[in-house]
Amino acid sequence: MMRTLLVRGLLAGLAAGVLAAVFAFFAGEPPVDAAIGIEEAGTAAHSHVEPGGHSHGEEEAELVSRDVQSTLGLLVGVGAYAIAGGGLFSLAFAFSYGRLGSLRPRALSALLAVATFIVVVGVPFLKYPANPPAVGQGETIGDRTALYFGFVALSLVFAIGAAVLGRKVGGWNGGLAGAGAYVVLVSVAAALLPSIDEVPDGFPGSTLWTFRIASLGTQLVLWVALGLIFGALAERVLTRQAQLVR
């Protein structure tokens, strides 16, 4: 059964990835293009030509064209992320099924999808929101990446601990205790972790806002679609198994 659910999770992730990539293309690519234009304009402004005719600041030849990046590259990147997420999601579903009350597969899948979006995407986004090209310094990308994924890991660990606490207490009180513990822990972690603000002066606030909303929307489409699609597939499989057992 675990293998069957894993395959369904990978398929659901693939379908959700396609939907998320389509959303990202229409909602996210316009602000990306605008940010790239700002970055190129800044690069051109700082370039100069020496007496010998040698130019500094010119762009290196692109290994992959922008058209490929915004279409096939986007689909491959989002699809790979979604498929991996679908596999992990199916494992979390298999572990949770039967341990969180009498929730039906569709309801459990939807609940897990919402919880995953909040814990893995939403909460880290509040501390370290996504940035378009031209925002952020190249020499700090390693530190920024480590801080972001570190906060994601902390949020996930705190959520698991909160779920264990909630189950031990039980009932509504358990749910409130778990949620309260999670909020307190992530709030303390967010306050202790360093903030990152590398938005250059003069960068259009509308472009930054549109990109961040599109980035968050892409994740929302992915996890909502994954929860709904996987829930339908899992319910069919588990219902068929229950009928065979009878």
Side-chain angles (χ1 to χ4, degrees):
M1 181 54 62
M2 179 70 74
R3 180 178 179 277
T4 301
L5 289 176
L6 177 60
V7 171
R8 299 303 189 277
L10 296 175
L11 292 175
L14 176 61
V18 172
L19 294 175
V22 171
F23 177 89
F25 177 78
F26 288 104
E29 287 305 309
V32 169
D33 288 336
I36 290 175
I38 295 171
E39 185 177 39
E40 291 175 346
T43 301
H46 288 85
S47 65
H48 65 277
V49 180
E50 293 182 345
H54 300 289
S55 176
H56 291 268
E58 293 179 353
E59 294 183 13
E60 298 181 357
E62 289 183 327
L63 296 177
V64 181
S65 69
R66 174 63 187 143
D67 290 338
V68 174
Q69 292 175 13
S70 62
T71 52
L72 182 60
L74 177 65
L75 179 61
V76 171
V78 175
Y81 171 80
I83 291 172
L88 295 174
F89 184 84
S90 66
L91 297 179
F93 175 91
F95 177 80
S96 303
Y97 187 65
R99 292 181 172 88
L100 298 179
S102 57
L103 290 176
R104 294 183 62 83
R106 285 178 185 265
L108 177 59
S109 180
L111 178 62
L112 283 178
V114 171
T116 302
F117 175 78
I118 293 173
V119 171
V120 177
V121 180
V123 170
F125 186 89
L126 294 176
K127 177 66 177 181
Y128 300 117
N131 287 324
V135 174
Q137 302 173 9
E139 58 269 20
T140 65
I141 187 170
D143 294 336
R144 287 185 279 123
T145 302
L147 285 172
Y148 174 77
F149 283 108
F151 192 38
V152 171
L154 286 176
S155 178
L156 187 58
V157 170
F158 293 156
I160 294 174
V164 172
L165 173 64
R167 189 181 178 194
K168 285 185 176 180
V169 176
W172 280 102
N173 291 334
L176 293 175
Y182 173 76
V183 170
V184 170
L185 290 173
V186 295
S187 297
V188 172
L192 294 177
L193 288 171
S195 298
I196 299 175
D197 184 9
E198 296 184 345
V199 180
D201 295 336
F203 191 88
S206 59
T207 300
L208 182 63
W209 173 258
T210 303
F211 176 84
R212 287 178 173 176
I213 292 299
S215 177
L216 194 62
T218 299
Q219 292 276 6
L220 180 62
V221 170
L222 191 155
W223 289 105
V224 168
L226 177 58
L228 295 177
I229 295 172
F230 179 79
L233 296 176
E235 181 151 320
R236 182 179 302 177
V237 170
L238 293 173
T239 301
R240 186 184 309 150
Q241 182 193 39
Q243 292 174 346
L244 292 175
V245 172
R246 294 175 186 173

